[in-house]
Amino acid sequence: MTSKIAPANGKILIAPSILSADLFRLGEDVKRVEKAGADWLHVDIMDGHFVPNLSFGPAIVSSLKGKTKLPLDVHLMVEKPSQFVGPFAAAGADLLTVHIEANDNVSEVLKQIHALGIKAGVSIKPDTEPEVLSGVLDQVDLILVMSVYPGFGGQSFLPKSPERIREVRKLIKSSGRNIWLEVDGGINAQTAPLVLQAGADVLVAGSAIFSAGDPVQALYQIKQAAPHS
Ligand code: DX5
Ligand code: ZN
């Protein structure tokens, strides 16, 4: 297995989250955002334990694989990611992100992901101190800062997020490594500039794109907040 995801290179990327897409016409929605210039496709996996909601399994990743050229950025909001890394890698994930708060040995899970030839990310929930990431900085290709409490699309951006993004950006700088800094939750044309100024370079947006009357226009508006994308 290989990953289509290039190392972080200073570009700003937009990753629409299909959690808010219309599943009846998922293919159509994905093609639209792909044409409109989306960079990755964000796929939220929830197990009903780590977060109080359920979403998709590996089958959705297999059904997207080969139908879109967008890299598949899979966000595992699950208690035991070690159980799911194999199935999601086999289904075609290009990047697997696990939570530092998971009930698992995260460092081992990150090794497991890389051993399968794909990129590995780590995520922190809004109340987790960014400092805890220090121990895994040399093992990750991406850090995902949650700017809402994970579990549901359509929530409001937490105002404390830019400060947390700044702290994570400092940690990345101190590591000397090329690590993507992704932000997820409540991102729209108003909040995108705040997180970009704080140092984010990958923006996940679900409801702002897929629940908009015109998803293509909504994506353009978020892109406009990112002058170098
Ligand atoms: C929330 C998910 C997000 C969600 C974002 O737990 O991780 O990826 O889709 O949705 P919006 O952009 O609507 O906040
Ligand atoms: Zn997500």
Side-chain angles (χ1 to χ4, degrees), residues 17 19 42-46 73-77 99 123 144 146 150-151 182-185 204:
S17 163
L19 190 63
H42 187 81
V43 185
D44 287 304
I45 309 300
M46 304 180 185
D73 161 28
V74 177
H75 178 190
L76 294 176
M77 286 164 276
H99 271 265
S123 181
L144 169 54
M146 290 303 303
E182 183 174 49
V183 181
D184 185 6
V204 175

Side-chain angles (χ1 to χ4, degrees), residues 211-223:
S211 307
D214 183 347
V216 170
Q217 191 57 30
L219 193 139
Y220 285 151
Q221 279 169 0
I222 297 173
K223 274 213 154 216

Side-chain angles (χ1 to χ4, degrees), residues 26 28 32 39 44 111 114 117 120 144 156 171 174 187 192 209:
L26 181 61
E28 214 177 291
R32 268 163 121 188
D39 299 283
D44 287 304
K111 284 186 203 155
H114 278 143
L144 169 54
S156 298
L171 285 172
S174 72
I187 300 299
I209 293 178

Side-chain angles (χ1 to χ4, degrees), residues 33-85:
V33 294
E34 184 175 327
K35 259 182 117 175
D39 299 283
W40 297 352
L41 206 59
H42 187 81
V43 185
D44 287 304
I45 309 300
M46 304 180 185
D47 67 351
H49 296 283
F50 186 77
V51 289
N53 197 7
L54 287 166
S55 61
F56 314 117
I60 198 136
V61 173
S62 342
S63 64
L64 288 164
K65 197 71 187 175
K67 311 257 177 26
T68 173
K69 62 176 180 351
L70 297 178
L72 302 174
D73 161 28
V74 177
H75 178 190
L76 294 176
M77 286 164 276
V78 303
E79 223 164 66
K80 284 274 176 205
S82 55
Q83 285 179 6
F84 297 107
V85 162

